[in-house]
Structures are given as structure tokens and as C-alpha cells.
Amino acid sequence: MKIAHLQGLIAAPFTPMHSNGSLHLELIEEYYHLLKSNGVTGAFICGSTGEGVSLTHTEKRAVAQAWANATLGDPDFKVMLFLGGTSIADCKELALYAQELGLYAISFTSPFYFKPSSVEKLAEVCQEVASVVPEMHFYYYHIPVLTGVNFAMYDLLKAIDGKVPNFAGIKYTHEDFMDYQSCLEFQSRKYDMLWGRDENMLAALSLGAKGAVGSTFNYAAPLYHDLIEAFDKNDLPKARALQMQSIEMIRLLGKYGGIATGKAYMKLVDLDCGMFRLPVRNMTDTQFELFKKDVEALNFSVFCSKMHA
């Protein structure tokens, strides 16, 4: 398999839910059009932002089906399905379903309850899952802050190279720039290294990152397009100012409780994706009103994603 190197912004969508916590699949077509109209080139579905670990196997299949339906006829928009990381059998079954739907890629993270004892064992697990769909791009999802598994990804590439033909690369959601650059340069830039920390995008661009997967691309894609353009034009003062704007926006996630704040941002771009499931804490109505004032102070309306006709 020829390894494609994706470029631009790939959103990590929220999974839309009704007020009772059930899936709101009817919203996904509108969600796709919002992303597409703001220059987003793909969707990494059912990941951390998409609450994949809080969805049942049946629900993940339903979400994947809805995204496949919404993007039918648009091969330029890449849908990547995160499989999970605890039940290998479930992941293999879901990978086969992703192939049946015609999705672009699958992704898998390290088992995080029974953790692999070595990077070689992690490579073996990746090989086990990837082997059931040898014609699909397979990405490892590196997010040690959530999995607790923090092997150097350079070592994973060394352990897996030549053994898994459809291993396309890594969604790298960590701050180890030495390891990230080592992975970028591995075997003459053989693998696709998708950056996963929106607040550090400028640093990743300086190392050679071309594609990124992020949650804030859902509601602030224009900001990152401007940042990339400024970097490409070598206008570093502007690029740094735009990155700082991104940081101030992301800082509000911490102020208002974490990952669920992203769905509050989505309400402000007129795509209400509901709330996060337990155990994630959501905002109260009072907090949401305070949040709106803080967002207004950022001039969010100037750089937020908008639905275009």
C-alpha cells in the first residue's frame, strides 16, 4: 500500500446527542457540511472528542454509518474511525465494518487496562487489528495522557516497520517534540504523522507537520487556516499571534471543566451536539452564560466556523 500523507485540518467531531443522551444521528449530515464549508478535509470520528469510549459497539457502528452516508460521493473528505483499545475482538469487528462502509481509515490506541508490557507487544497488537483490513489505512493513536501508555513512537515505528503494510502513520497527541520529529524523519518521512495538539500547531509546523487532527477545528477552522497561511508565508509574528489566539480559546476549556466545553463552543456556531455522557462533567446553565461572555471577549465571531451556502 502506498502511504498517503494527509494535509490540512481533520476535525475530531463531537458525537451529537439528544437531551436524553441518545444519539442524534440526523445532525451528522449538517455537521459534515459545516466542516466542509470551512475547509476541513476529514473527520476522525468516535475518538476522545467523539466519546468513543463511552459509546456501545452498536452505537459506534451507527455513528460510522451516519458519517458514511453523509460523505457519500465525496472521496476528498476522509473519514477515519477510531476503533477503541481494550477489546481486540471488538476492534477487529469494527474495522471490518468500517471497510464495508468504505471509510478511508481506521485508528487504534494502546490497550489501557491490560497495558502492553513493551513497545514490541504494542506493535504486535497493532498488527493483529490492522491485518483484518489489509487494504485500509491504519493509524496508531498516541495519547498517553489518557491511555497511560507512553512508549516512544519512534520505537513503535522501528518495531512495526515492514511488518504491517497498511500501517499509515500516527495521530500524535502528545508534547514530545523530539520523538515527533524523529517519527517525521523516520525512513525518509515514510509515515504520515498527524499532529494532535491544536495549542502547539505552530511548533509542529516548524518541524514539518502537514496534517493535523483536532477538536477545535470543529468550531474555529478559519483561525487555523490563517495560522498555516501565515507560517507558509514566513510571517512568524502573525502566526504566533494566531497561535496565541488559539491558546486563549483553548484555555477556556480548562476554565469551564475540560473536554465538554467543546460542545458549548458548538452551540455558539449553531450546531447543538448536546451534552457529554457520564463521567464527564458538563456546564450548568449559569456557567454557560459566563462562558458566553468570556468567548465574546475573545472576538470568537471573527474566527469561528460558519455555515456557508
Side-chain angles (χ1 to χ4, degrees), residues 21-277:
S22 63
L23 299 182
H24 189 178
L25 299 177
E26 301 80 8
L27 199 61
I28 286 176
E29 184 170 359
E30 183 181 352
Y31 205 148
Y32 156 67
H33 287 296
L34 174 69
L35 297 179
K36 185 76 175 179
S37 63
N38 285 273
V40 174
T41 61
F44 184 92
I45 63 173
C46 297
S48 307
T49 303
E51 299 177 78
V53 294
S54 299
L55 303 178
T56 67
H57 188 73
T58 300
E59 286 175 325
K60 283 190 274 194
R61 286 171 63 99
V63 171
Q65 176 74 73
W67 277 99
N69 291 346
T71 60
L72 189 65
D74 185 0
D76 294 331
F77 191 88
K78 312 298 188 187
V79 179
M80 311 166 74
L81 174 63
F82 175 62
L83 306 174
T86 49
S87 169
I88 306 305
D90 272 355
C91 289
K92 290 163 71 173
E93 184 182 322
L94 198 56
L96 289 167
Y97 187 62
Q99 178 178 255
E100 181 184 327
L101 292 174
L103 302 187
Y104 174 74
I106 53 171
S107 183
F108 171 82
T109 197
S110 173
F112 45 84
Y113 187 87
F114 294 128
K115 295 181 176 67
S117 57
S118 66
V119 74
E120 289 76 20
K121 185 58 64 175
L122 176 58
E124 183 182 338
V125 176
C126 289
Q127 184 174 9
E128 176 77 12
V129 176
S131 67
V132 301
V133 285
E135 302 303 316
M136 285 193 79
H137 292 80
F138 175 96
Y139 284 82
Y140 179 71
Y141 180 13
H142 183 48
I143 185 164
V145 69
L146 291 180
T147 63
V149 177
N150 193 15
F151 300 119
M153 290 296 95
Y154 179 69
D155 292 338
L156 177 64
L157 292 183
K158 288 193 295 183
I160 213 164
D161 188 49
K163 298 177 183 176
V164 185
N166 59 326
F167 188 93
I170 298 171
K171 177 184 182 292
Y172 199 101
T173 308
H174 190 39
E175 300 80 19
D176 188 339
F177 287 102
M178 183 180 84
D179 184 44
Y180 180 69
Q181 185 171 5
S182 299
C183 292
L184 273 174
E185 301 297 339
F186 183 84
Q187 296 281 28
S188 300
R189 292 181 167 255
K190 178 178 179 179
Y191 292 104
D192 189 20
M193 295 297 301
L194 299 173
W195 184 249
R197 283 282 189 226
D198 307 359
E199 62 272 30
N200 300 132
M201 177 182 278
L202 180 55
L205 290 172
S206 74
L207 296 179
K210 297 297 183 184
V213 179
S215 64
T216 63
F217 307 160
N218 287 294
Y219 47 82
L223 172 63
Y224 295 97
H225 287 309
D226 289 347
L227 192 162
I228 293 169
E229 182 182 16
F231 175 79
D232 288 343
K233 291 181 177 179
N234 204 31
D235 188 349
L236 293 183
K238 182 177 181 180
R240 287 193 291 265
L242 290 166
Q243 183 69 88
M244 196 64 221
Q245 205 163 16
S246 157
I247 289 169
E248 295 296 346
M249 177 180 67
I250 291 169
R251 205 186 302 277
L252 293 186
L253 270 70
K255 180 176 180 178
Y256 287 96
I259 194 168
T261 307
K263 281 192 171 182
Y265 271 115
M266 292 304 290
K267 289 181 182 179
L268 301 184
V269 296
D270 298 322
L271 197 76
D272 190 345
C273 294
M275 299 289 192
F276 265 70
R277 289 181 173 175

Side-chain angles (χ1 to χ4, degrees), residues 5-21:
H5 287 242
L6 303 181
Q7 297 191 20
L9 307 181
I10 299 166
F14 301 93
T15 297
M17 296 184 185
H18 293 288
S19 58
N20 64 0

